[in-house]
Amino acid sequence: MRPLTDTLDVRPGEPVDLVLRRASVLDPVAGIDGVFDVVVRGGEIAELSPPGEAAVEEAETVDAEGLHAFPAFFDPHVHLRVPGQEHKEDVETGTRAAAAGGFCGIIAMANTSPPISTAADVTALREQARAGASVPVGFVATVTVDMQGEELTEMVELREAGAVGFSDDGLPIRSARVMRRALQYQRLCGGNIALHEEDPELSGDGVMHEGPVSAAVGLSAIPSVSESTMVARDAALAAHEEARIHVQHLSAAESVEIVRAAKAAGVQISAEASPHHLCLTDEEVRGLDPWRAKMNPPLRGERDRQALIEGLREGVIECVATDHAPHQAEEKDVPFEQAAMGVTGLETAFAALHTELVRPGVLDLGLLVERMAGGAAPFGLERPTLTPGAEANIALCDLGAEWTVGEDGYESRSQNSWCAGRTLTGRVQMTVAAGRIAFRLRSFTLGVAP
Ligand SMILES: [Zn+2]
Ligand SMILES: [Zn+2]
């Protein structure tokens, strides 16, 4: 088994020796479901012992009775805002937020100031991650130079420098000719091309989803076809070039349908959905609160939300991705039309989906756990697992814990959480990432088990 740190970068730390006593262990992909003592030795899952039987000498012991141990989560879509917008987030705060959300790895987007377009940019960021990241981070580089949509970056060289893939996220790749060329290079150099799908001609100056709600509140709107036509174009191009694409933040029912058909036809296509698109609809926009309801793609209708949930269930959408997009108050405390697009989500992703989808019986817990870690594979990384012998990547959760988002502040430097003030059920108590303890909830005291 290949550890995440073979490819991703993290601050060096002491490999942990740990016993999680009597944890409810659930790793559906590995076929593990039961109460065990989880023994971590030297940063690796050493064994899953019958409850209460693991020897505990020289290992920290956590009373995990009643708590769930899952494979830690993997987020393929995070905005760390470095370089250039460190007032919103940086490698340290962003990866602390990830650890607090139970993530053992993330992929950072390249739409920074300036964008990540050269091998030197990638090298500099990897050094920053080795200096200050709490969890392993991978970096994508842009597809086109400075995200101008015209000239391709040196994709082969960027891969050699360690870019896990490519993305102009924040912007679509407008030109089909440029997209086609990018796919030809992707086939050569591997990685993946992650796509923010939107036709700027159709989105115009829209600030929300086009539908009855936009008509009622009188805001300019972004139709679903702005996304779905581009997903269709790129699925066709990927098929033609036998290249690999990853569709980011799927939001519309029509897009899910296109990805489903493309997969059935054998296209190398993967897709993600964000917790806010899975939990909210455009009804949320009626309050005209840009802190919670303004993002791109916009929150869509209930039919779209149901299609995303069904896509997640079927595996048409293989992973949850937060699209964690930190912004400061000056970009959000303005009229809805002018506010920046984007919400944070790392610290609340699992809790929100557990509260909104698992507890009401819409989604199976095991399926959510599987999809929360599903974002590694599209980038050629191994899925976190609790299988003995694997690097320890564990999210220890209390599924009964109730908490109000934001009441204790955030690990993120920004506060634009889409679920601020909501009471959620289920909370990450501890995260082990790359064999090190990356996070402990402050109120979670390590019990000395008998
Ligand atoms: Zn995007
Ligand atoms: Zn994004």
Side-chain angles (χ1 to χ4, degrees):
M1 280 172 274
R2 208 157 43 91
L4 285 171
T5 41
D6 270 8
T7 318
L8 310 186
D9 296 290
V10 66
R11 183 177 53 214
E14 200 55 40
V16 70
D17 293 317
L18 187 68
V19 177
L20 305 178
R21 267 274 196 246
R22 297 189 171 87
S24 298
V25 183
L26 180 60
D27 179 351
V29 177
I32 302 167
D33 182 4
V35 176
F36 296 99
D37 287 354
V38 181
V39 182
V40 177
R41 215 173 282 135
E44 278 189 4
I45 310 273
E47 54 183 312
L48 303 177
S49 309
E53 288 187 13
V56 295
E57 318 86 60
E58 294 168 50
E60 181 176 1
T61 300
V62 173
D63 178 6
E65 186 152 21
L67 303 181
H68 279 73
F70 303 128
F73 314 135
F74 190 94
D75 191 345
H77 190 159
V78 171
H79 295 272
L80 288 181
R81 303 300 192 206
V82 278
Q85 293 189 303
E86 288 84 352
H87 62 290
K88 297 182 180 185
E89 198 76 288
D90 63 26
V91 170
E92 270 188 61
T93 57
T95 56
R96 278 213 308 267
F103 292 92
C104 65
I106 61 171
I107 294 177
M109 291 299 113
N111 62 335
T112 50
S113 321
I116 309 307
S117 293
T118 68
D121 295 337
V122 172
T123 303
L125 280 173
R126 295 189 65 188
E127 273 166 25
Q128 281 198 44
R130 287 195 289 270
S134 299
V135 303
V137 187
F139 296 93
V140 294
T142 60
V143 178
T144 67
V145 173
D146 292 333
M147 297 173 64
Q148 297 290 307
E150 288 154 18
E151 191 192 333
L152 293 184
T153 52
E154 298 289 344
M155 291 171 67
V156 176
E157 201 179 297
L158 285 159
R159 282 284 290 158
E160 283 164 6
V164 296
F166 305 92
S167 182
D168 277 7
D169 180 44
L171 294 175
I173 296 168
R174 203 185 260 256
S175 158
R177 177 182 52 80
V178 170
M179 183 64 203
R180 183 182 178 194
R181 291 279 291 153
L183 291 165
Q184 290 166 348
Y185 274 97
Q186 187 281 324
R187 236 192 107 176
L188 274 177
C189 68
N192 202 335
I193 300 183
L195 296 164
H196 169 120
E197 297 292 35
E198 172 178 27
D199 183 337
E201 300 286 336
L202 291 171
S203 289
D205 60 357
V207 297
M208 67 173 293
H209 171 58
E210 184 179 295
V213 180
S214 67
V217 299
L219 289 174
S220 56
I222 302 170
S224 289
V225 284
S226 173
E227 176 180 277
S228 60
T229 53
M230 288 293 266
V231 176
R233 183 198 78 173
D234 291 339
L237 286 170
H240 185 70
E241 298 298 340
E242 295 177 28
R244 184 178 295 282
I245 59 171
H246 175 74
V247 184
Q248 300 181 295
H249 45 47
L250 224 57
S251 70
E254 294 81 358
S255 309
V256 179
E257 194 46 57
I258 292 161
V259 174
R260 181 183 286 117
K263 282 191 166 174
V267 181
Q268 299 174 75
I269 186 172
S270 53
E272 62 184 42
S274 71
H276 47 274
H277 287 115
L278 289 161
C279 294
L280 304 177
T281 67
D282 57 350
E283 287 295 329
E284 201 69 20
V285 181
R286 286 187 195 274
L288 296 178
D289 179 357
W291 284 84
R292 285 147 206 276
K294 189 166 178 194
M295 61 286 279
N296 192 18
L299 300 173
R300 300 207 185 266
E302 178 61 14
R303 185 179 74 92
D304 300 294
R305 191 178 78 92
Q306 291 300 334
L308 293 177
I309 293 169
E310 186 51 34
L312 205 63
R313 222 183 255 134
E314 284 173 44
V316 169
I317 299 169
E318 46 266 275
C319 59
V320 170
T322 64
D323 194 6
H324 178 85
H327 288 295
Q328 287 288 299
E330 58 267 27
E331 289 138 322
K332 284 289 191 182
D333 277 338
V334 292
F336 196 87
E337 294 94 313
Q338 293 153 31
M341 287 169 156
V343 288
T344 58
L346 283 168
E347 293 169 69
T348 54
F350 174 76
L353 292 167
H354 178 253
T355 305
E356 299 291 333
L357 300 182
V358 175
R359 278 172 54 90
V362 175
L363 214 62
D364 178 62
L365 175 65
L367 192 102
L368 176 60
V369 167
E370 192 174 331
R371 297 288 179 258
M372 290 294 297
F379 292 85
L381 304 166
E382 264 185 51
R383 155 189 290 281
T385 174
L386 299 179
T387 308
E391 176 184 65
N393 289 298
I394 309 168
L396 187 66
C397 300
D398 181 349
L399 296 187
E402 284 203 351
W403 59 294
T404 303
V405 177
E407 68 178 356
D408 301 325
Y410 298 94
E411 299 290 342
S412 169
R413 185 161 288 146
S414 291
Q415 309 192 354
N416 54 314
S417 164
W418 64 269
C419 49
R422 285 183 185 233
T423 298
L424 301 181
T425 307
R427 192 163 199 187
V428 177
Q429 308 286 308
M430 184 179 190
T431 305
V432 180
R436 292 90 156 181
I437 294 187
F439 169 78
R440 294 174 203 254
L441 191 64
R442 248 163 280 156
S443 59
F444 176 58
T445 47
L446 288 169
V448 178

